[in-house]
Amino acid sequence: MRSPIGVFDSGYGGLSVLRDIVERLPQYDYLYLGDNARAPYGTRSFERVYEFTLQAVEYLFAQGCPLVILACNTASAKALRSIQQRDLPRIAPDRRVLGVIRPTAEAVGALSRTGHVGIFATPGTIASESYDIEIKKLNPGFEVYGQACPMWVPIVENLEMETPGAKYFVDREVGRLLEKSGKIDTIILGCTHYPLLYDQIRASVPQGISLVEQGRIVADSLADYLRRHPEMETRLSRGGSIDYLTTEAPDKFGALGSIFMRRPVEARRIQL
Ligand code: DGL
């Protein structure tokens, strides 16, 4: 029986993480779920994001996933802790759900020299202050500056990355972030959709400032987790397959998903 690693995002963004995970750990089976019908999550309330994320996790558990990665910063910020602490002991004490914020915060200490770190993320992730809290817990003395980018996810979901409109909104948020401190030397792309806007963001951010994408960081962290948890690792099936589920039109998911994954993607529609 298949026991894939479940990977969840509100839409397409998590595919940017899945791609790096599959490259790092190609031997396992994967089941991706994008809740495209209800995306974006970034402007939704805490309660809604929690409710939707829990539904997705329960769905992936029912498909046989012993382990689910929330490849979505918004869901990691607003739902992960409640699911880990309140729901898992009740619904599935032997399964695990991991997020993307903690591994990213762990990596950033080694990347910044000035200790002044910027975050681009959805309004929900910024409002949660999750990055602020996690980075400062691990690196006392660091300063963290958040900039919400409400238009960036819709730009990506509508494939408008190459347009003058995209350039306008990228330049605007970059300007707003850099106004907050002249000492920022590292900026985290704290939304899994943003790697698709990497070239535009890179062109707007001064060269001396590093841009951090999460995919490889999350992939390395997952590899490390599986090394430290053989009881979980041995439960995962090793067929090298990737299946895709979406709550919206599967054709559109396939077309856009292929861009994120850089390989053909065929999706099946499900209802949560
Ligand atoms: N990709 C999600 C994240 O990493 C957000 C997209 C959304 O707003 O739904 O935060």
Side-chain angles (χ1 to χ4, degrees):
M1 197 185 130
R2 285 179 78 241
S3 307
I5 297 176
V7 178
F8 169 70
D9 180 48
S10 61
Y12 301 104
L15 293 172
S16 69
V17 173
L18 177 66
R19 192 181 64 216
D20 284 318
I21 292 179
V22 170
E23 198 178 300
R24 179 85 167 74
L25 301 164
Q27 65 272 39
Y28 302 112
D29 292 307
Y30 294 91
L31 181 57
Y32 185 88
L33 171 55
D35 189 10
N36 300 76
R38 301 188 291 193
Y41 280 13
T43 41
R44 289 189 184 272
S45 67
F46 177 93
E47 290 76 17
R48 278 290 89 75
V49 173
Y50 164 67
E51 181 193 333
F52 292 173
T53 306
L54 181 59
Q55 286 171 356
V57 166
E58 288 185 316
Y59 188 93
L60 289 167
F61 283 170
Q63 303 307 302
C65 300
L67 174 66
V68 172
I69 312 295
L70 300 185
C72 174
N73 289 267
T74 310
S76 300
K78 293 186 162 189
L80 179 62
R81 187 173 302 238
S82 304
I83 290 175
Q84 283 176 333
Q85 295 180 356
R86 212 172 52 204
D87 300 306
L88 275 190
R90 181 173 53 83
I91 61 172
D94 62 334
R95 306 198 188 201
R96 290 293 170 266
V97 181
L98 305 174
V100 290
I101 293 182
R102 175 80 189 194
T104 310
E106 280 170 3
V108 92
L111 299 173
S112 172
R113 277 162 290 107
T114 62
H116 289 249
V117 175
I119 317 287
F120 289 131
T122 65
T125 300
I126 296 298
S128 74
E129 297 188 351
S130 301
Y131 272 105
D132 208 69
I133 295 164
E134 290 294 334
I135 291 174
K136 288 178 175 169
K137 209 189 296 170
L138 297 165
N139 305 280
F142 267 44
E143 290 297 336
V144 179
Y145 309 89
Q147 180 60 44
C149 310
M151 291 303 292
W152 291 11
V153 168
I155 286 170
V156 171
E157 293 266 328
N158 291 289
L159 279 186
E160 296 281 340
M161 291 89 84
E162 311 284 344
T163 62
K167 179 171 165 33
Y168 170 81
F169 284 110
V170 166
D171 287 347
R172 190 181 79 177
E173 313 310 0
V174 167
R176 286 179 178 172
L177 176 64
L178 296 181
E179 257 172 34
K180 294 176 185 176
S181 164
K183 294 192 194 159
I184 294 172
D185 70 345
T186 305
I187 300 178
I188 297 172
L189 301 187
C191 169
T192 53
H193 280 68
Y194 296 173
L196 269 278
L197 266 177
Y198 184 88
D199 291 346
Q200 290 76 2
I201 302 168
R202 185 65 275 176
S204 185
V205 169
Q207 279 310 314
I209 300 177
S210 334
L211 285 184
V212 179
E213 292 181 87
Q214 299 180 289
R216 286 213 193 108
I217 293 173
V218 174
D220 286 346
S221 164
L222 176 60
D224 181 55
Y225 175 86
L226 294 176
R227 244 192 328 268
R228 288 184 290 108
H229 293 275
E231 77 290 355
M232 173 59 75
E233 200 278 335
T234 49
R235 289 168 66 192
L236 301 171
S237 57
R238 294 166 160 259
S241 69
I242 314 176
D243 289 318
Y244 303 90
L245 305 173
T246 175
T247 54
E248 248 300 338
D251 289 356
K252 187 180 174 203
F253 189 95
L256 268 167
S258 311
I259 298 174
F260 274 85
M261 289 300 288
R262 299 182 193 136
R263 65 162 86 182
V265 165
E266 266 183 52
R268 196 159 53 80
R269 184 187 215 135
I270 59 121
Q271 209 170 353
L272 286 176

